[in-house]
């Protein structure tokens, strides 16, 4: 026996060795494997000799990141790192969250979805296609993570504002799960992105020889619902505690699937419910400024899609919690869609709009609706740029001492009005938030830093809370409490500069509080799978994964 092998320290059980270890992104440390680990795990000769710290590796990765010429190249660089070494990827993303979130998620991930077949390098997650019907359990078992706790699933039909991207939609679950881990410490080994490939109506994709999905029209109707049901049943059979988050499904399916499954399994739809909680939190913060109760607000929405109706539903449920009757609460939420004010006399309204179709005179457009209803808050979720024009903002400022104006449509080019417009036209009175970030703006000597109603304030913390207490359902009360917890994290300093959300720099702390609020609801309502700990916040924090290298030797 040589001196070298005599000194060998035992590697931990079950670890792969050599090249297989370097190829496993959850375990790989690259040049940070110590000399002893290299010896014990068959890595000698497979890495350059010098051992690096994670900080040194991050500096190298950042140097390469900076060298990239455009954002899509930066996305590819980060995804390649993600696929090589997840610990280092998360170290880098967490340390540069504000800069990298727009790269790994919206808006740049949208380009990546559109060009999926051209950029593809290495598969991640699970793809379930029409050919897998009848054998989805088997397909899911091919995935190697043993204890998956969060699945983000899409069918690719309504990717951000970019429509049907078919199988290319996979970029979204991957990006979203990165934020679960980066913003709230949900362990990466517990996360699984899934794409259901049920075809596409996108002609450009269908004609692209490099498109990677099934080339046929989308499955619809009962067959589609059966396909989704088989996936859900299979996922729960393989991972019984899993939370399934629906993401970027089109309106035609999103509302129905949510209604079908929300009381049967642990699931939610972030486009509908996550958005709602973020908007409600912004509204609660704004009300700290106006000092008016929620149940006295009159809220006019422009756009009656997933975001708008989801927000209204949660506001109604929060008003009911404050003691309002449900019908009265609904009458405080109004919608203008592409055909004008949603009223009872309109024919052929989609199912999800009916509960907000009130019995009043029809108004043909937003301006006339604002004059007729005199709202305290305007919420833009219409994807129509500049829809909140000077006349509308001025009217809101005349009707209200501090008008609440949320222009939530993404990307920036689609915002209903910019921060600058809201502050200038309202003469600094507006309490403004947007879906995409706007730079600080100085008006009459005061600098306003507007808030961004980013869904990543809510869903990662919510997921953390659900995973920590092993909740069996995701309820409206959890979203309402998550919204309140987020609003509680807004500091006076934030409000003073006009910001109704906390700084993203504090996101992990904020997420821990949201997780604790969600877990509290689960414990209170008998939905948790574990015993209530004495200190729920500390318990939730103890479940947060940190990007640090573990030692692989005993
Ligand atoms: P959606 O497609 O479900 O709904 C859009 C709605 O706008 C539809 O009801 C449509 O009829 C309506 N609309 C279209 N043209 C209109 C017009 N001229 N006037 C009035 N209404 C019109 O989309 P969604 O998921 O509800 O998202 C809407 C917007 O909100 C998107 O830009 C999205 O990026 C944004 N959003 C922001 C956040 C956030 O800030 N956190 C979250 C989710 C969605």
């Amino acid at each position: 026996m040589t001196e070298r092998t005599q000194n060998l320290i035992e590697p931990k059980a079950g670890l792969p060795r050599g090249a297989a270890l370097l190829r496993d992104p959850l375990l790989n440390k690259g040049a940070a494997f110590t000399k002893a680990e290299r010896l014990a795990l068959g890595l000698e000769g497979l890495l350059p000799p010098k051992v690096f710290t994670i900080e040194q590796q991050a500096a190298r990765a950042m140097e390469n990141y900076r060298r990239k010429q455009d954002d899509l190249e930066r996305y590819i660089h980060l995804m390649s790192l993600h696929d090589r070494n997840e610990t280092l990827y998360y170290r880098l993303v967490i340390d540069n969250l504000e800069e990298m979130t727009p790269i790994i998620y919206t808006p740049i991930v949208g380009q990546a979805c559109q060009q999926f077949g051209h950029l593809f390098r290495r598969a991640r997650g699970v793809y379930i296609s029409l050919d897998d019907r009848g054998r989805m359990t088997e397909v899911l078992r091919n995935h190697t993570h043993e204890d998956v706790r969060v699945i983000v699933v899409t069918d690719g039909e309504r990717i951000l504002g970019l429509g049907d991207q078919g199988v290319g939609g996979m970029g979204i679950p991957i990006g979203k799960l990165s934020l679960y881990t980066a913003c709230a410490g949900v362990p990466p080994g517990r996360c699984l992105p899934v794409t259901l490939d049920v075809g596409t109506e996108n002609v450009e994709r269908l004609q692209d020889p490099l498109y990677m999905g099934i080339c046929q029209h989308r499955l619809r109707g009962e067959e589609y619902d059966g396909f989704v049901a088989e996936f859900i049943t299979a996922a729960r059979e393989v991972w019984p505690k899993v939370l399934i988050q629906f993401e970027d499904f089109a309106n035609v399916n999103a509302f129905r699937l949510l209604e079908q499954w929300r009381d049967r399994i642990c699931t939610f739809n972030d486009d509908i419910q996550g958005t709602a909680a973020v908007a409600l939190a912004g509204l609660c913060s704004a009300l700290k400024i106006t000092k008016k109760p929620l149940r006295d607000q009159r809220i006019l929405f422009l756009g009656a899609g997933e975001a708008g109706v989801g927000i209204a539903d949660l506001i109604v449920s929060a008003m009911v919690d404050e003691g309002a009757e449900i019908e009265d609460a609904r009458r405080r939420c109004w919608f203008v869609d592409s055909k004008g004010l949603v009223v009872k006399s309109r024919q052929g309204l989609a199912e999800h709009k009916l509960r907000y179709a009130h019995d009043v005179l029809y108004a043909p457009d937003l301006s006339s609706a604002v004059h007729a209803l005199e709202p305290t808050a305007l919420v833009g979720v219409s994807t129509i740029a500049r829809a909140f024009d000077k006349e509308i903002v001025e009217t809101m400022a005349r009707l209200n001492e501090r008008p609440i104006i949320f222009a939530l449509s993404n990307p920036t080019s689609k915002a209903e009005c910019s921060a600058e417009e809201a502050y200038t036209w309202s003469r600094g009175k507006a309490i403004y938030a947007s879906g995409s970030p706007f730079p600080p703006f100085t008006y009459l000597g005061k600098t306003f830093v507007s808030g961004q109603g980013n869904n990543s304030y809510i869903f990662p913390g919510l997921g953390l809370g659900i995973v920590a207490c092993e909740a069996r359902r995701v309820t409206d009360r959890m979203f309402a409490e998550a919204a309140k917890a987020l609003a509680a994290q807004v500091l006076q300093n934030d409000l003073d500069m006009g910001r109704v959300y906390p700084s993203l720099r504090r996101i992990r702390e904020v997420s821990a509080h949201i997780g604790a609020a969600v877990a509290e609801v689960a414990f209170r309502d008998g939905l948790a799978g574990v015993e209530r700990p004495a200190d729920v916040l500390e318990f939730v924090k103890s479940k947060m994964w940190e990007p640090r290298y573990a030692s692989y030797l005993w």
Side-chain angles (χ1 to χ4, degrees):
M1 193 181 286
T2 66
E3 197 189 326
R4 284 161 67 79
T5 46
Q6 270 168 8
N7 289 343
L8 193 123
I9 308 167
E10 277 295 297
K12 290 183 176 167
L15 278 176
R17 290 173 54 82
L21 179 56
L22 297 180
R23 273 198 303 269
D24 185 328
L26 283 175
L27 297 172
N28 183 24
K29 305 188 204 180
F33 280 107
T34 63
K35 293 275 183 207
E37 284 171 334
R38 294 177 191 206
L39 175 61
L41 293 161
L43 294 170
E44 284 179 305
L46 302 187
L47 292 159
K50 189 170 161 188
V51 175
F52 285 80
T53 64
I54 194 166
E55 289 77 18
Q56 290 170 316
Q57 289 178 300
R60 180 185 297 114
M62 201 61 194
E63 190 180 297
N64 284 313
Y65 179 83
R66 293 262 179 263
R67 199 175 294 137
K68 301 296 169 195
Q69 297 296 318
D70 63 50
D71 284 343
L72 195 56
E73 288 296 327
R74 288 181 195 105
Y75 172 87
I76 294 168
H77 172 66
L78 288 177
M79 286 308 113
S80 300
L81 179 59
H82 193 192
D83 290 340
R84 282 197 311 275
N85 179 338
E86 296 217 19
T87 313
L88 180 55
Y89 167 76
Y90 283 112
R91 178 77 278 150
L92 203 67
V93 171
I94 290 171
D95 290 347
N96 301 279
L97 200 60
E98 283 178 299
E99 178 177 352
M100 290 183 176
T101 301
I103 307 292
I104 61 172
Y105 203 63
T106 180
I108 301 306
V109 72
Q111 288 178 39
C113 290
Q114 288 174 305
Q115 297 179 42
F116 185 79
H118 295 259
L119 304 178
F120 183 83
R121 281 149 168 81
R122 184 176 173 172
R124 168 175 283 273
V126 172
Y127 297 84
I128 299 184
S129 78
L130 293 172
D131 301 339
D132 299 319
R133 273 180 286 192
R135 29 189 306 277
M136 289 190 201
T137 311
E138 207 181 311
V139 170
L140 286 172
R141 285 197 204 282
N142 286 340
H143 185 72
T144 49
H145 293 186
E146 276 174 11
D147 190 11
V148 170
R149 295 294 188 88
V150 186
I151 285 176
V152 176
V153 60
T154 189
D155 72 354
E157 189 167 10
R158 201 227 51 175
I159 294 301
L160 305 172
L162 305 167
D164 187 348
Q165 300 303 325
V167 82
M170 183 53 127
I172 297 294
I174 291 174
K176 205 110 197 187
L177 285 165
S178 283
L179 296 179
Y180 270 92
T181 301
C183 299
V186 178
R190 300 276 175 269
C191 298
L192 178 66
V194 174
T195 285
L196 304 180
D197 184 6
V198 293
T200 179
E201 302 304 328
N202 187 325
V203 177
E204 213 182 311
R205 297 293 162 271
L206 289 171
Q207 291 174 347
D208 181 350
L210 290 184
Y211 177 66
M212 301 184 85
I214 285 199
C215 289
Q216 68 170 65
H217 289 292
R218 277 187 177 272
L219 197 65
R220 299 282 182 204
E222 276 176 32
E223 267 192 291
Y224 173 87
D225 284 4
F227 185 89
V228 175
E230 186 190 337
F231 159 67
I232 289 174
T233 310
R236 285 168 45 79
E237 189 182 324
V238 181
W239 303 291
K241 294 177 184 168
V242 72
L243 159 68
I244 299 178
Q245 188 212 302
F246 287 94
E247 182 68 28
D248 283 2
F249 284 71
N251 278 347
V252 287
N253 295 318
F255 286 102
R256 188 184 67 262
L257 289 174
L258 181 60
E259 287 316 313
Q260 264 176 17
W261 293 100
R262 62 186 297 165
D263 295 328
R264 295 164 63 188
I265 63 162
C266 186
T267 188
F268 74 99
N269 178 312
D270 188 56
D271 307 304
I272 301 174
Q273 297 165 288
T275 302
V278 173
L280 176 60
L283 195 57
C284 291
S285 298
L287 297 178
K288 285 189 204 166
I289 300 174
T290 64
K291 305 201 177 6
K292 301 263 170 61
L294 180 64
R295 62 175 181 277
D296 288 353
Q297 303 305 306
R298 279 184 311 284
I299 301 147
L300 179 56
F301 293 85
L302 184 69
E306 292 178 39
V309 172
I311 297 169
D313 285 349
L314 192 64
I315 289 176
V316 166
S317 119
M319 285 179 176
V320 169
D321 267 1
E322 282 190 5
E325 291 295 325
I326 188 157
E327 278 314 314
D328 295 340
R330 281 187 181 150
R331 281 187 67 86
R332 296 199 157 268
C333 297
W334 302 81
F335 283 88
V336 170
D337 64 10
S338 53
K339 299 193 176 71
L341 188 62
V342 172
V343 292
K344 206 168 180 180
S345 56
R346 266 179 57 182
Q347 301 293 309
L349 282 172
E351 172 74 27
H352 61 274
K353 301 182 191 177
L354 289 178
R355 53 191 174 274
Y356 297 104
H358 305 308
D359 196 2
V360 292
L361 267 185
Y362 169 72
D365 53 35
L366 180 65
S367 172
S368 51
V370 168
H371 284 280
L373 300 168
E374 304 197 341
T376 55
L378 264 189
V379 180
V381 273
S382 63
T383 69
I384 305 297
R386 302 286 168 271
F388 297 169
D389 60 20
K390 187 162 184 275
E391 189 265 329
I392 285 172
V393 174
E394 282 177 351
T395 308
M396 286 296 289
R398 205 172 56 246
L399 293 169
N400 301 281
E401 202 180 315
R402 300 296 307 272
I404 298 166
I405 298 183
F406 289 177
L408 298 182
S409 286
N410 294 315
T412 318
S413 60
K414 295 211 168 149
E416 283 78 5
C417 69
S418 67
E420 179 173 342
E421 288 164 344
Y423 294 127
T424 311
W425 294 337
S426 70
R427 296 174 189 269
K429 287 163 74 177
I431 303 171
Y432 175 85
S434 55
S436 303
F438 279 98
F441 174 66
T442 303
Y443 178 73
L444 298 179
K446 176 167 178 180
T447 299
F448 294 90
V449 181
S450 60
Q452 186 198 356
N454 191 326
N455 284 31
S456 49
Y457 279 120
I458 290 283
F459 70 80
L462 178 107
L464 171 66
I466 299 279
V467 169
C469 74
E470 299 183 6
R472 287 185 287 276
R473 298 284 179 277
V474 189
T475 61
D476 271 352
R477 186 171 292 159
M478 289 176 182
F479 282 101
E481 290 303 316
K484 283 187 208 158
L486 175 56
Q489 289 297 311
V490 180
L491 310 173
Q492 189 56 46
N493 183 33
D494 295 315
L495 295 175
D496 290 344
M497 59 177 107
R499 189 161 66 190
V500 293
Y501 296 103
S503 161
L504 258 190
R505 283 191 209 113
R506 296 178 44 231
I507 188 66
R508 283 175 75 93
E509 177 67 16
V510 169
S511 294
H513 283 271
I514 291 173
V518 167
E520 282 286 9
V521 177
F523 289 124
R524 202 180 331 134
D525 294 350
L527 294 171
V530 300
E531 286 283 302
R532 188 187 188 287
D535 186 333
V536 175
L537 180 60
E538 279 313 307
F539 168 73
V540 166
K541 281 185 176 173
S542 74
K543 301 285 178 186
M544 290 174 79
W545 179 86
E546 299 278 345
R548 284 197 211 103
Y549 290 135
S551 170
Y552 293 155
L553 304 180
W554 291 116

